[in-house]
Structures are given as C-alpha cells and as structure tokens.
Amino acid sequence: MANLVTSLCCVVLAAVVVAYAQRRSQLVARNQYERMGSDVTMQCGSLDNDASVSWKVNGTDVKAQHRLEGPKLILNQVDLGHNGLYSCFQNPHGERRDTILLHVGIPPREPGISCRSNAYPKSFYCSWHQTQPTYIPTTFEVDVQHNQRSLEVQKDPVHKNRCHVRFPEVFSSFPYIVNVTAVNALGKASSTYSFEESFIVKPDPPERVTATPIRSNPRRLEVSWNSPATWPDTDNFPLKYFLRYRPLIRDQWQHVELSDSTSHTITDAYAGKEYIIQVAAKDTEIGTWSDWSVAVHATPWIENNPPIISTTEVEFVTETKTSPIPSSKAPQRAHAPVGRAARVLAFFSPLLLAMLLLFM
C-alpha cells in the first residue's frame, strides 16, 4: 500500500512539473525574425484555431494595420516600427498564453573585405563590413586559404569584424584567398577576396615625430621620428621614409624621400614662419606608403634682439610723459593777461570817477 501511494505521489508531482514547464515556456518571450516589407503571422501558443484571443504590443493595444484569425495575429508589410514585445491573452478571462519578441530586418548582403599587413613579415589582418545594415544580429564565418590549405584565424578581441592571420611563409608566390560569410536568421551571403603577399604590405605611420629649431640658424629645422612600433623587424625588413613640410602661409608641400634614416634637417625654411611637418613610411621593396603621421608644428630660430624705437615714438613718449603734469611756470603764463588788465583798470579808475561826477 505504501508503495502504491508513493507511486501515485510521484505521478502527480511529475504532472505538476510538466504543466508548470509548459506554462513557463508560454510566458517566456520567444524571438521571431521577419523580413522587412513582408506580412507576418504570429501564433498564440498552441491554441486551437477557434480560440478567441486579444493581442498587445509593449503593453498596449496593437494599433498597426493587422487582422485576427482565431489565435493568429497578422501584420501587413512590417517595418522597423513593428519591432516589439507582443503578448496574447485568451478570452474571456484575459489569461496570457504567449509572448513573442518580434525582430524585423533583412538578410545580409555580400560583405566587403580588405586585408593589410602592418606587421610584415609576421602577420596580416583582414576586416569586413556589411554594405547595408541588416537591423538584426549578424555573425561572420571566415576562412583563409593558402596553397590549398586552411590557415588559423584569430578573431580580434577589440574589433568584432577583424581577424588576424600569421604568414605561413615569406616571399610566397601563392595567393591568399579569404572567404567571409555573413549569417543571420533571415539568410546568408558570402564574398571572396584574393591577394598576393606583396600587395597588402602597408606600415603604420612613423611615431613620435619632433621638429626643433637650430640655434642661430633661422632657416633650419631638425626633424626626427621613430619607426612604427607595429613593424617587427626593421633590421631585416628596413623602412624608407617620405617627409613633407610647408609653412602655414602656403598650401604647397615640399617633399624629401629618405632611405632608412629617421631624421632630416630642413635647410630652406622661411625665417620666422611656422611650419607643419609630417612623415610616412614604406617597406624598401614591396607594398605601399603608410598614412601620414600626426602633424607637428615648429618655427625656425628667431634671435631675441632688443626693439628699435623710432624718432616719432621718442617724441610721442616725451610728450606723453610731460603733458599730464604742467610745470611751475605754466600758471604764471596763464594768469599774466589777467594781471595786466587789473593794472590798467586801476590806472584809469580815478579819471573815470572824476568825469562821472562832472556830468552829474
């Protein structure tokens, strides 16, 4: 009897677990990916075709153009505005039966591919991009072939659309073939890029470029720089450099190509004019020139001579210094006409008084 009860309890418990799992699976949102511009049908769980349901998107009633067919919601010509969380409820009690997260996008197109070696002869890297956004998660599968064998591909930890590949050999005449396949829930597309080793070599720009004036030389600037840190072996694979410079007042550059030197003296600078200077690098035999380095600014040596004061300036300064404070004789000259008038008036006053009394 005890065994029978135990068995019945186990059966009931199992049924409860299954029912809970089914209910839980209905409540957890499931992803549905659909192509942009298409008509989309969403099914409310496993309800029968005659079930009566209502739908909400992001918690509110569905306002987009749609129609209901039993437990199905049909959206017409979906676009990005239809993305959202759709929930269906069984009438008349409004019990939620299913939740769907709708993602609208497009299938991928053939990705664009480019490869470059800035660490020759150690390794090269390839990068790729979508020519049109897909609006939904898209992954990439990369395969690199050389001399009919696959090479190890290391995904870049920072750039998700980049991988690194070690050169299997140097000075190889066999081409490299890179195949990249873009994959998402709506489809996939592939591109192939083929190249020879020497065509992708391009160093990074030189680093720590400095330009300093040379004492007592008003037309010279001493320019120096470092090889790019990413170039692994400058002894066996030396770089040559290209220097360009111009004064800020002009748009035309002057150029100097150098062998393996990391410094150069500009001897034809305009005295007292600020210059802008950049440097590029290239492998001495193969590949292309790097991008230009970060621009630096410098001005040739300027002597600190004392300023020369002209005669006009001296006279102006002299007048300025004496004009605010008048001399002690200035008041006497200013009051001299007043004193003479007083004395004349004092001389003629008795005569005028006598004539006035005579006529009275």
Side-chain angles (χ1 to χ4, degrees):
M1 185 66 180
N3 292 334
L4 180 61
V5 173
T6 302
S7 299
L8 290 175
C9 290
C10 291
V11 171
V12 172
L13 180 60
V16 171
V17 170
V18 170
Y20 177 80
Q22 291 176 346
R23 176 65 180 275
R24 184 66 179 173
S25 64
Q26 292 175 345
L27 297 181
V28 174
R30 53 190 174 88
N31 293 309
Q32 184 169 335
Y33 295 91
E34 298 291 347
R35 186 189 297 258
M36 189 180 301
S38 65
D39 294 340
V40 173
T41 299
M42 286 183 282
Q43 169 72 36
C44 183
S46 58
L47 295 179
D48 296 334
N49 291 335
D50 58 352
S52 176
V53 300
S54 60
W55 290 82
K56 292 182 180 294
V57 55
N58 299 325
T60 62
D61 294 336
V62 178
K63 295 182 175 58
Q65 185 177 359
H66 68 281
R67 70 179 186 270
L68 294 175
E69 293 183 0
K72 297 179 180 179
L73 171 67
I74 302 174
L75 302 175
N76 298 322
Q77 297 182 341
V78 294
D79 55 27
L80 297 179
H82 290 86
N83 287 331
L85 186 65
Y86 291 78
S87 301
C88 62
F89 303 84
Q90 187 173 12
N91 298 328
H93 303 295
E95 181 182 3
R96 186 172 66 171
R97 299 304 300 268
D98 202 0
T99 305
I100 301 171
L101 188 58
L102 179 63
H103 306 268
V104 178
I106 61 175
R109 294 188 176 182
E110 294 82 0
I113 308 172
S114 62
C115 296
R116 175 190 169 203
S117 176
N118 62 342
Y120 187 77
K122 182 179 179 182
S123 63
F124 65 91
Y125 67 85
C126 293
S127 57
W128 51 89
H129 65 279
Q130 276 289 298
T131 56
Q132 182 177 352
T134 61
Y135 307 107
I136 59 176
T138 301
T139 59
F140 298 91
E141 300 170 354
V142 184
D143 178 66
V144 181
Q145 297 279 333
H146 178 259
N147 194 14
Q148 299 182 347
R149 66 187 182 96
S150 295
L151 302 182
E152 182 181 356
V153 175
Q154 295 181 343
K155 291 293 185 69
D156 192 291
V158 177
H159 305 280
K160 65 176 183 178
N161 289 1
R162 179 182 292 185
C163 69
H164 297 267
V165 182
R166 296 188 65 87
F167 281 111
E169 56 182 296
V170 183
F171 310 127
S172 172
S173 59
F174 293 99
Y176 292 80
I177 302 173
V178 180
N179 182 273
V180 178
T181 302
V183 181
N184 66 21
L186 301 178
K188 61 182 181 179
S190 298
S191 291
T192 299
Y193 177 55
S194 178
F195 60 87
E196 293 184 11
E197 170 187 303
S198 59
F199 292 162
I200 64 167
V201 176
K202 180 182 178 181
D204 287 330
E207 302 173 356
R208 299 183 181 179
V209 181
T210 61
T212 55
I214 300 177
R215 185 177 182 85
S216 301
N217 286 275
R219 301 200 62 188
R220 297 189 175 218
L221 288 169
E222 184 68 30
V223 185
S224 63
W225 58 88
N226 290 349
S227 301
T230 50
W231 196 257
D233 190 356
T234 55
D235 293 332
N236 295 312
F237 295 87
L239 296 173
K240 60 181 179 179
Y241 301 95
F242 205 53
L243 172 72
R244 72 175 185 177
Y245 59 97
R246 66 174 176 85
L248 290 181
I249 60 174
R250 300 185 61 182
D251 295 330
Q252 185 177 359
W253 293 93
Q254 294 174 273
H255 300 87
V256 178
E257 185 170 337
L258 307 167
S259 55
D260 59 351
S261 175
T262 56
S263 65
H264 177 72
T265 301
I266 297 173
T267 60
D268 57 352
Y270 291 114
K273 301 300 181 182
E274 182 180 356
Y275 271 74
I276 180 172
I277 302 163
Q278 291 178 291
V279 188
K282 179 185 176 300
D283 182 271
T284 55
E285 297 183 4
I286 61 174
T288 58
W289 287 99
S290 73
D291 296 333
W292 291 107
S293 64
V294 176
V296 297
H297 293 249
T299 303
W301 178 268
I302 300 176
E303 293 289 347
N304 295 321
N305 293 327
I308 300 176
I309 302 176
S310 66
T311 305
T312 304
E313 292 174 339
V314 172
E315 290 177 351
F316 176 79
V317 171
T318 302
E319 292 175 358
T320 303
K321 287 183 179 180
T322 57
S323 59
I325 304 176
S327 65
S328 58
K329 295 181 180 180
Q332 296 178 1
R333 290 197 299 270
H335 293 286
V338 178
R340 286 196 297 270
R343 288 196 295 271
V344 171
L345 182 61
F347 177 80
F348 286 102
S349 292
L351 181 58
L352 291 175
L353 181 58
M355 292 179 65
L356 180 61
L357 292 175
L358 180 62
F359 287 100
M360 290 181 60

